[in-house]
Amino acid sequence: DTTPFNLINVTPDDGETVGQTRKVSYLFSKALDPTSVTLANFVLKTQAGDVVTATGIALRENGTRVEISYDALPLGQYQGTIK
Protein backbone atom coordinates (compact mmCIF):
# COMPACT_ATOMS: atom_id res chain seq x y z
CA ASP A 1 0.00 0.00 0.00
CA THR A 2 1.65 3.23 -1.15
CA THR A 3 -1.13 5.54 0.01
CA PRO A 4 0.38 8.08 2.42
CA PHE A 5 -0.96 8.28 5.93
CA ASN A 6 -2.43 11.45 7.41
CA LEU A 7 -2.40 12.76 10.94
CA ILE A 8 -6.06 12.86 11.97
CA ASN A 9 -5.94 14.00 15.58
CA VAL A 10 -3.60 14.97 18.40
CA THR A 11 -4.60 14.79 22.05
CA PRO A 12 -4.49 17.12 23.89
CA ASP A 13 -5.96 19.36 21.20
CA ASP A 14 -4.05 22.33 19.82
CA GLY A 15 -4.50 25.25 22.19
CA GLU A 16 -6.15 23.11 24.86
CA THR A 17 -5.26 23.83 28.47
CA VAL A 18 -4.88 20.69 30.55
CA GLY A 19 -3.62 20.13 34.04
CA GLN A 20 -0.35 18.23 34.23
CA THR A 21 -0.95 15.75 31.45
CA ARG A 22 1.33 12.75 31.10
CA LYS A 23 0.48 11.56 27.58
CA VAL A 24 0.33 12.89 24.07
CA SER A 25 -1.55 10.80 21.51
CA TYR A 26 -1.29 10.96 17.71
CA LEU A 27 -4.00 9.31 15.59
CA PHE A 28 -3.20 8.43 11.97
CA SER A 29 -5.43 7.51 9.02
CA LYS A 30 -3.81 4.10 8.61
CA ALA A 31 -1.50 1.76 10.45
CA LEU A 32 2.13 2.80 10.80
CA ASP A 33 5.16 0.61 10.27
CA PRO A 34 6.03 -0.45 13.84
CA THR A 35 9.75 -0.02 13.13
CA SER A 36 9.18 3.71 12.49
CA VAL A 37 7.43 4.28 15.81
CA THR A 38 10.38 5.38 17.94
CA LEU A 39 10.90 8.22 20.37
CA ALA A 40 13.45 9.66 17.93
CA ASN A 41 10.62 10.23 15.41
CA PHE A 42 8.24 11.99 17.84
CA VAL A 43 9.72 15.09 19.50
CA LEU A 44 7.99 17.37 21.98
CA LYS A 45 9.48 20.78 22.78
CA THR A 46 8.63 23.46 25.30
CA GLN A 47 7.82 27.01 24.23
CA ALA A 48 11.49 27.84 24.93
CA GLY A 49 12.57 25.13 22.46
CA ASP A 50 13.81 22.59 25.01
CA VAL A 51 13.20 18.93 24.15
CA VAL A 52 10.96 17.15 26.66
CA THR A 53 12.24 13.67 27.47
CA ALA A 54 9.62 10.98 26.96
CA THR A 55 9.32 8.05 29.35
CA GLY A 56 7.65 5.62 26.94
CA ILE A 57 5.98 5.03 23.59
CA ALA A 58 3.22 2.63 22.58
CA LEU A 59 1.51 1.75 19.31
CA ARG A 60 -2.24 1.18 19.82
CA GLU A 61 -5.51 0.70 17.92
CA ASN A 62 -4.11 -1.67 15.28
CA GLY A 63 -1.13 0.59 14.66
CA THR A 64 -3.06 3.80 13.99
CA ARG A 65 -2.48 5.53 17.35
CA VAL A 66 0.89 6.45 18.86
CA GLU A 67 0.78 7.24 22.55
CA ILE A 68 3.81 8.89 24.15
CA SER A 69 4.23 9.11 27.91
CA TYR A 70 6.04 11.81 29.87
CA ASP A 71 6.63 12.75 33.45
CA ALA A 72 3.93 15.26 34.39
CA LEU A 73 4.04 18.13 31.91
CA PRO A 74 3.54 21.48 33.61
CA LEU A 75 0.98 23.89 32.27
CA GLY A 76 2.40 25.61 29.20
CA GLN A 77 2.66 25.54 25.44
CA TYR A 78 4.39 22.69 23.65
CA GLN A 79 5.16 21.84 20.04
CA GLY A 80 5.17 18.30 18.75
CA THR A 81 7.14 17.29 15.67
CA ILE A 82 6.88 14.04 13.76
CA LYS A 83 9.93 13.15 11.69
Side-chain angles (χ1 to χ4, degrees), residues 16-46:
E16 181 179 2
T17 300
V18 295
Q20 297 208 348
T21 188
R22 293 182 179 267
K23 292 185 181 177
V24 176
S25 177
Y26 300 88
L27 180 62
F28 294 91
S29 58
K30 67 180 201 174
L32 302 178
D33 174 358
T35 63
S36 71
V37 180
T38 66
L39 290 175
N41 288 330
F42 293 83
V43 178
L44 187 67
K45 291 183 179 181
T46 65

Side-chain angles (χ1 to χ4, degrees), residues 33-82:
D33 174 358
T35 63
S36 71
V37 180
T38 66
L39 290 175
N41 288 330
F42 293 83
V43 178
L44 187 67
K45 291 183 179 181
T46 65
Q47 190 173 10
D50 299 321
V51 174
V52 180
T53 303
T55 58
I57 189 168
L59 190 57
R60 305 203 187 287
E61 296 181 30
N62 297 317
T64 60
R65 182 177 298 278
V66 176
E67 189 175 88
I68 303 175
S69 302
Y70 300 90
D71 287 333
L73 296 170
L75 189 61
Q77 294 181 346
Y78 296 86
Q79 180 178 355
T81 302
I82 302 168

